[in-house]
Amino acid sequence: MSSVAPNGRSGLEMDAEHMRRLGHAVVDRVVDRWLTLGEAPAWEGGTRRELETLLAEGAPEEPRDAEAVLTRAYEEILPKAGRIDHPRFFAFIPSSPTWPSVLGEFLATGFNIFQGTWLESAGPSQLELVVMDWFRSWLELPESGGGVLTSGGSAANLVGLVTAREWAGNPPEPVIYLSDQGHSSLERAARIMGVPSERVRRIPTDDAFRMDLAALRDAIAGDREDGLHPLAVCGNAGATNTGATDALDAMAAIAREESLWFHVDAAYGGFAILTQEGKEAFRGIQEADSITLDPHKWFFQPYETGCLMVRDTRVLEGAFRIMPEYLQDAALGEEQVNFADRGIQLTRGFRALKIWMSVQMLGLLAFREAIQESMDLARRAEAHIRASRELELLGPATLGIVCFRFNPPERRINPVDLEALNQSIQDEIVGSGLAMMSSTRLRGAFSLRLAIMNYRSTWEDVSTTLQAVQAAGTRLLGGERP
Ligand SMILES: *Cc1c(COP(=O)(O)O)cnc(C)c1O
């Protein structure tokens, strides 16, 4: 019953041979999974009741056989989830980490890096500065710019908006502007900051789902008249629904004129800046005061890897730095950076290593090409949809996303039936395991949606999925080809 092993070591230790054996077995498992990923269902799940039956139990007081524990993880837990990196996982925003990034994650954990302060992580902190400077230069932010790696885009949006508030001198009754396509995490960030939903303005968008800037100007003027304090304008660089990007240069100009903070949510789309096409779409992003990026989306990193970039790191640090007595040893002057001063976390993992290792081992060109390839596949999907009689395009291919539905025109299906039909098509495809898809609503219309962002996805993966939509729709409509 003692927690001390016979040789006097803690019961929390394992002997070296056992450590190696378990570690090698885990690596083999992960590589095997990668090799067979496309053959597995793109999604598996289960009900609460089913999973409870499988997994609910108290914590064992005594150790169990390690191999048996791993087997349970492999068989009962890990497979019952979306395979987000499956080549036909097109739902939400997919993620497909590179192998060097997975190893970087493991190394950072294995070396137990604490990256809150320079004192405790000089090399890793310098590496985060290096990676932040890569991002800064890709976004063409000025030399004063920099950033911080976060748990994700939600945390980055929160850090960005809190920075805006501190920069503005913490005014009473601040107002935040985003489009009707703005991400829910911005609204949550506002709530966390104590900005109630009545002061989060959802500005309407045009036909291309870009913020209506005349409406933005009107809203700002109206709020000033009402004695409120317009604080920040949030632009989209890749809206999650449709991939839409706002007119960032014009938005930046309005923000400057109005002395507002200009935040750009480029969580999923931002790394498209590594392509010529993305660079053109994001014209004006370099004028932003802060930019959210999610390397765990289109930069092929494991969860959780988000990032907030700012135009002036002093403003970011001014918003977050607090130096309590018990950290006095960690105050190392201006030159060394304590990353805890740039956001929410004191204890932070070493997130920069996986990014750095991926780019070093694979080269940036491979990232540029993978992102371009995703955009090309989405465009090819759009062409297929346009050419088909039964499929109707609802949102053109934009930054890897394409929105459509099954709607043979001669059947004149009413909106309610159309929604039910498309929902059933999606359920059928997801249920079959062929592909994972998610739906959205565009101006009220139920839409199927493909988000093509995986470096493993091929045209065959995309076209097989589109054909499955057509086949399922035809079958559900009653057998005969419409
Ligand atoms: C995913 C996403 C977020 C939220 O990021 P998380 O990493 O999920 O917290 C915010 N904005 C946009 C545009 C996104 O695509």
Side-chain angles (χ1 to χ4, degrees), residues 22 94 146 211 247 258 270 287 293 303 310 329 336 379 398 405 407-408:
L22 289 177
M211 188 188 280
E258 298 279 352
E287 300 301 322
L293 296 173
Y303 303 127
V310 291
D329 300 331
Q336 278 65 247
R379 207 162 286 121
T398 316
R405 64 184 171 189
N407 184 19

Side-chain angles (χ1 to χ4, degrees), residues 93 151-155 157 183 185 236 238-240 265 267-268 294 296-297:
I93 301 286
S151 57
S154 301
N157 279 335
H183 195 268
S185 59
N236 281 316
T240 316
D265 184 357
Y268 106 75
D294 253 346
H296 64 206
K297 287 173 176 165

Side-chain angles (χ1 to χ4, degrees), residues 22 31 50 56 120 201 227 289:
L22 289 177
V31 174
E50 287 161 3
E120 291 178 83
R201 299 269 173 273
D289 294 300

Side-chain angles (χ1 to χ4, degrees), residues 233-296:
V233 178
C234 304
N236 281 316
T240 316
N241 254 351
T242 59
T245 297
D246 290 318
L248 300 177
D249 41 5
M251 263 176 131
I254 295 174
R256 289 281 165 274
E257 252 169 63
E258 298 279 352
S259 305
L260 305 185
W261 186 268
F262 181 36
H263 176 73
V264 175
D265 184 357
Y268 106 75
F271 290 99
I273 198 124
L274 292 169
T275 68
Q276 196 52 39
E277 193 179 331
K279 224 183 187 72
E280 281 157 27
F282 296 163
R283 209 153 19 86
I285 200 170
Q286 65 280 1
E287 300 301 322
D289 294 300
S290 55
I291 302 169
T292 287
L293 296 173
D294 253 346
H296 64 206

Side-chain angles (χ1 to χ4, degrees), residues 54 60 93-94 110 126 146 161 170 188-189 218 283 286 292 385 390 407 423 457 466:
L54 216 51
I93 301 286
Q126 180 57 50
L161 290 178
N170 212 337
R188 185 178 287 137
D218 289 350
R283 209 153 19 86
Q286 65 280 1
T292 287
I385 292 161
E390 309 104 323
N407 184 19
Q423 181 69 63
S457 302
L466 288 169

